[in-house]
Amino acid sequence: MAEQLFNEFESVSSKQWKQQIQYELKGADYTETLVWESPEGIKVKPFYHSDEDTIRNHCGTPHDDFAIMQPIFVHDVKKSNERALDTLQRGAESIRFTFENESVDLNELLHNLPVENVRYFFYLPFLSIDFVKKVANYKATSKAQITLLIDPVGQLVSDGNWFTNLDTDLAQLNTIATQYQGSFLSINAKTYQNAGANMVQQLAYTMAHINEYFNRLPTLQQPITIEVAVGTNYFFEIAKLRALRLLFKSLASEYHHELDCHIIATPTKRNKTLYDYNVNMLRTTTECMSAILGGANSVANLPYDSLYHKDNEFGDRIARNQLLVLKHESHFDKVHNPADGAYYIETLTEQLAEKALLLFKDIEANGGLITQLIEGSIQKKISESAAKEQELFDSGKEVLLGTNKYPNKNDAMKHDLELYPFIKQNPRKTLITPVLEKRLAEKLEQERLSLEDN
């Protein structure tokens, strides 16, 4: 049936398309009017055609499904348990617990929570072999699926210091690698995106980040978890995640590491706004769509009010329902590799991967990620990229509706702030200058807040 249908139509060459475009433009050169260049240096054409583009099928989703993830910060263990049970009953399929310290009672935290078909992720902002042993013992008796998220290099990037120091942190990781039966190593790539790195930088820094572990953990055999932030450039973000998996497989094969990565995606904070905050729901919806189509294994949505509200049931429910609609009403989980064969996305995937590979090789030739972090090269490049994007926002060329375009002057937020929504400065002695996450709208919002009582 499909073959007969397509035989009804004559093929149109790229030459014919170009001629038609130039006719519509009254003879103007379309390359000067319709081709635009992304911050990554990729020139985007008005159309892509198989007879002039080298189209390759790149890896997309490794499965037909994605897991709806609920992040939970563990402060009160009993309340965290109740919240996890409630969210699982309301449609969440995995839980990401963030621990405050290692004194958490795992039996109390996971009491009555299902162990079949639910994966629990434990993000640890500390490094403790004793705690890892406690988790291993709990897994052995409960049969729970628990993935640890430990990332000393990510700690260095975002905090400026190791947990202890380079040698001690890596020695403890090597010990964990030999003793823990399960995935324990994670890569926090969200920081690069939320700080303003462009997509090529995000991919290259993530690969260099992973390569530090491949080089320094010779006993590593477990799968790796990569946490990424997804921005608003819909098709580019789909291609970014596909390129990420492509690059990971290529790098891992060099170390004879045959296990795939598990990608956890969450919407970026960079374009979220304090004023006209309901628009954040539109932004996170398209960002979650990109994450799913790009092949994320788990997607954790960002509540629309997360900038200024503490965790609350309503914000969580709306964020979770966005993913439930995408999964059970829009059926985003029903098509295997939906972006495969799309010439535009395939071309973007290849270009992003090639550019990121070149930058990765340059990083490695100059000592690797840790060395360049200590020298400040990585921070400088991210800062330059962020400044360019900030300039576009400040000039109105990059638009955030309700903030720098069509703002509602009657919006007042000063008395609704439960959280400090801006970059936090904490002057202290650090080994490196930390890579700090910063939203585009911060300066504008601070100005508006200062005028509210006037």
Side-chain angles (χ1 to χ4, degrees):
M1 178 65 73
E3 186 177 347
Q4 293 175 357
L5 175 64
F6 287 114
N7 285 340
E8 296 279 330
F9 302 94
E10 293 183 7
S11 62
V12 181
S13 67
S14 61
K15 182 178 180 181
Q16 288 173 291
W17 277 112
K18 291 176 184 177
Q19 289 173 341
Q20 183 63 31
I21 291 171
Q22 287 198 285
Y23 172 76
E24 298 291 342
L25 292 175
K26 303 186 185 312
D29 185 356
Y30 81 91
T31 60
E32 296 180 1
T33 55
L34 298 182
V35 174
W36 58 275
E37 186 170 324
S38 76
E40 296 78 19
I42 293 175
K43 292 185 177 180
V44 180
K45 301 183 295 185
F47 74 97
Y48 290 79
H49 199 288
S50 60
D51 68 9
E52 67 172 16
D53 294 297
T54 304
I55 306 300
R56 304 174 186 172
N57 283 333
H58 296 295
C59 55
T61 52
H63 48 75
D64 295 331
D65 204 356
F66 68 95
I68 297 173
M69 175 180 282
Q70 177 65 55
I72 296 177
F73 183 83
V74 180
H75 177 67
D76 183 306
V77 176
K78 186 175 184 296
K79 289 182 179 179
S80 297
N81 170 266
E82 293 171 350
R83 185 178 170 200
L85 184 59
D86 180 64
T87 57
L88 288 170
Q89 291 172 342
R90 291 169 176 254
E93 296 161 325
S94 68
I95 304 292
R96 182 188 186 276
F97 287 115
T98 295
F99 288 78
E100 211 172 15
N101 53 60
E102 55 186 289
S103 64
V104 174
D105 185 330
L106 296 181
N107 289 299
E108 184 179 1
L109 178 65
L110 300 177
H111 179 64
N112 284 337
L113 295 183
V115 295
E116 294 184 4
N117 303 318
V118 178
R119 182 183 286 193
Y120 300 94
F121 294 83
F122 290 1
Y123 173 71
L124 309 183
F126 53 83
L127 188 53
S128 168
I129 293 178
D130 289 340
F131 185 81
V132 172
K133 288 179 179 178
K134 184 165 71 171
V135 174
N137 292 334
Y138 183 87
K139 278 183 63 178
T141 57
S142 69
K143 306 300 182 183
Q145 301 178 56
I146 298 176
T147 294
L148 298 179
L149 303 176
I150 305 174
D151 184 12
V153 175
Q155 166 74 10
L156 175 69
V157 171
S158 60
D159 183 75
N161 287 317
W162 297 97
F163 291 117
T164 304
N165 55 58
L166 170 62
D167 292 337
T168 302
D169 286 5
L170 271 297
Q172 290 192 64
L173 269 192
N174 270 303
T175 300
I176 293 170
T178 59
Q179 296 182 359
Y180 187 73
Q181 299 298 313
S183 180
F184 68 92
L185 185 63
S186 75
I187 307 298
N188 179 13
K190 295 186 296 183
T191 300
Y192 304 125
Q193 202 282 345
N194 284 317
N198 65 44
M199 290 188 202
V200 168
Q201 291 173 332
Q202 293 169 45
L203 290 168
Y205 299 158
T206 302
M207 287 303 103
H209 194 143
I210 296 169
N211 199 48
E212 292 289 351
Y213 290 126
F214 280 150
N215 273 324
R216 299 171 188 271
L217 300 180
T219 59
L220 179 65
Q221 296 296 325
Q222 295 90 332
I224 293 175
T225 304
I226 306 176
E227 297 193 78
V228 300
V230 178
T232 195
N233 194 338
Y234 188 74
F235 293 108
F236 268 71
E237 291 291 347
I238 295 172
K240 182 182 82 176
L241 265 64
R242 289 159 60 83
L244 173 60
R245 198 177 293 279
L246 187 71
L247 289 165
F248 175 83
K249 287 183 175 181
S250 178
L251 178 62
S253 67
E254 295 296 319
Y255 293 88
H256 307 291
H257 186 93
E258 298 178 355
L259 296 174
D260 199 2
C261 59
H262 184 102
I263 297 177
I264 300 174
T266 190
T268 181
K269 297 176 184 175
R270 188 153 171 79
N271 64 356
K272 302 305 178 289
T273 56
L274 186 60
Y275 290 92
D276 207 356
Y277 47 77
N278 288 320
V279 181
N280 289 332
M281 282 187 279
L282 302 179
R283 298 178 182 124
T284 55
T285 298
T286 62
E287 289 159 2
C288 287
M289 289 166 66
S290 292
I292 297 164
L293 296 178
N297 302 84
S298 303
V299 182
N301 197 8
L302 192 69
Y304 74 99
D305 60 349
S306 61
L307 295 181
Y308 65 95
H309 265 173
K310 295 178 181 178
D311 289 344
N312 62 91
E313 194 277 335
F314 183 77
D316 282 346
R317 179 163 61 86
I318 294 297
R320 186 172 56 252
N321 285 350
Q322 289 173 256
L323 291 172
L324 288 169
V325 168
L326 290 176
K327 187 164 194 174
H328 299 297
E329 296 186 28
S330 302
H331 305 296
F332 267 52
D333 61 328
K334 298 303 181 187
V335 179
H336 186 75
N337 293 352
D340 275 0
Y343 297 164
Y344 178 37
I345 296 175
E346 295 287 6
T347 303
L348 289 180
T349 300
E350 186 170 338
Q351 288 181 296
L352 286 172
E354 288 178 349
K355 286 178 175 289
L357 185 59
L358 287 175
L359 180 54
F360 165 72
K361 289 180 178 179
D362 180 72
I363 294 169
E364 294 305 307
N366 287 281
L369 183 76
I370 293 174
T371 297
Q372 294 218 346
L373 284 168
I374 293 171
E375 294 174 351
S377 301
I378 299 294
Q379 296 92 320
K380 180 181 178 183
K381 293 296 183 183
I382 293 176
S383 179
E384 290 172 352
S385 176
K388 290 178 182 178
E389 188 180 18
Q390 189 69 53
E391 185 179 347
L392 291 174
F393 172 81
D394 293 343
S395 65
K397 294 178 181 178
E398 181 163 339
V399 174
L400 293 182
L401 288 176
T403 300
N404 68 341
K405 187 82 168 180
Y406 308 124
N408 181 357
K409 300 297 184 181
N410 295 322
D411 272 357
M413 292 297 301
K414 194 168 189 176
H415 302 293
D416 293 327
L417 303 184
E418 297 177 356
L419 301 171
Y420 185 70
F422 307 116
I423 188 171
K424 296 177 181 177
Q425 299 289 349
N426 182 23
R428 56 198 169 83
K429 187 176 181 180
T430 57
L431 177 64
I432 69 166
T433 301
V435 177
L436 299 178
E437 300 178 356
K438 185 178 181 181
R439 295 182 298 109
L440 289 168
E442 289 196 14
K443 181 181 177 182
L444 184 59
E445 290 170 350
Q446 287 174 311
E447 292 172 354
R448 288 184 64 174
L449 283 172
S450 68
L451 296 173
E452 279 191 16
D453 292 334
N454 295 341

